[in-house]
Amino acid sequence: FDLLECIMGKTGLLAPLELWFDAHITDRLVKSVANHIEKAHAMGKKRVVLIAHSQGTIITSNALKELGKKDAAFLLKMKNTLEVYNFANCAHQTPDQNVKYLENIHNQGDVVAWLGVLFPMKKWWPDAYNNTIDIRGSNVNQPGFWGHMLNTHYLTPMMRNRDAYKMSKLRNPDTFKYSRSTAMIANRSAISPEREIAKLK
């Protein structure tokens, strides 16, 4: 089922089958992100941080497209606060025009990343709407690293090896200061607000 959801979310193929799965997963993330942006603006916080991994990058990318349809006043707040960090981005399109910052972090040996951000022939893989792979933002590629699991193959090396992902803005301690930011985690099993919101140091 996860593979079918990935196909539907990434390429738009088999879209009618979404009724059999969780068709509202993107809508739930859109509402949660919008709510956090509004709260951050009201509380004077400088950033809302959204971290996505694997299938979560597809959900997040689709959510960014939907958020981009909101009114100009909201988009200004979004552009002033929202930072997005995608681990192993396997989406088809990831827009960055309405965010403060967008970064794609991937191991050179992560096969899932090769389905998106690392795919070598992006113009040769159109989706159901004839749009090819177009992933925007800064790319942090880690040569010589392999694996796909978020904790084991990304976060642990990032914490233990100061040379790993050294170009990533996540290495800046200001990114997660409690007084300045709110952070969210987006993956396949953490979409409800109660589970997706995490304040990280």
Side-chain angles (χ1 to χ4, degrees), residues 179-192:
S179 60
R180 296 186 180 180
S181 63
T182 297
M184 293 175 290
I185 309 296
N187 58 41
R188 178 58 186 88
S189 60
I191 295 300
S192 66

Side-chain angles (χ1 to χ4, degrees), residues 54-139:
S54 193
Q55 188 180 353
T57 66
I58 298 174
I59 298 166
T60 295
S61 296
N62 290 336
L64 290 177
K65 295 175 190 176
E66 292 302 312
L67 287 164
K69 299 175 183 178
K70 291 186 175 290
D71 62 79
F74 174 82
L75 292 179
L76 181 60
K77 297 174 188 175
M78 179 175 166
K79 193 169 183 63
N80 287 334
T81 57
L82 185 60
E83 297 185 9
V84 181
Y85 298 86
N86 291 315
F87 286 87
N89 192 345
C90 52
H92 231 64
Q93 293 94 29
T94 304
D96 69 346
Q97 63 266 34
N98 294 312
V99 300
K100 184 176 183 179
Y101 182 72
L102 190 147
E103 183 175 290
N104 304 294
I105 306 163
H106 39 273
N107 292 330
Q108 188 69 26
D110 187 338
V111 295
V112 176
W114 281 87
L115 298 174
V117 67
L118 290 178
F119 192 73
M121 297 170 286
K122 293 179 174 60
K123 294 183 178 180
W124 292 14
W125 190 357
D127 60 15
Y129 312 102
N130 208 35
N131 298 314
T132 55
I133 295 176
D134 183 14
I135 295 175
R136 303 296 179 89
S138 299
N139 289 321

Side-chain angles (χ1 to χ4, degrees), residues 40-56:
H41 179 74
M43 297 171 66
K45 291 185 179 289
K46 294 187 176 181
R47 59 176 66 87
V48 173
V49 178
L50 174 59
I51 297 175
H53 170 250
S54 193
Q55 188 180 353

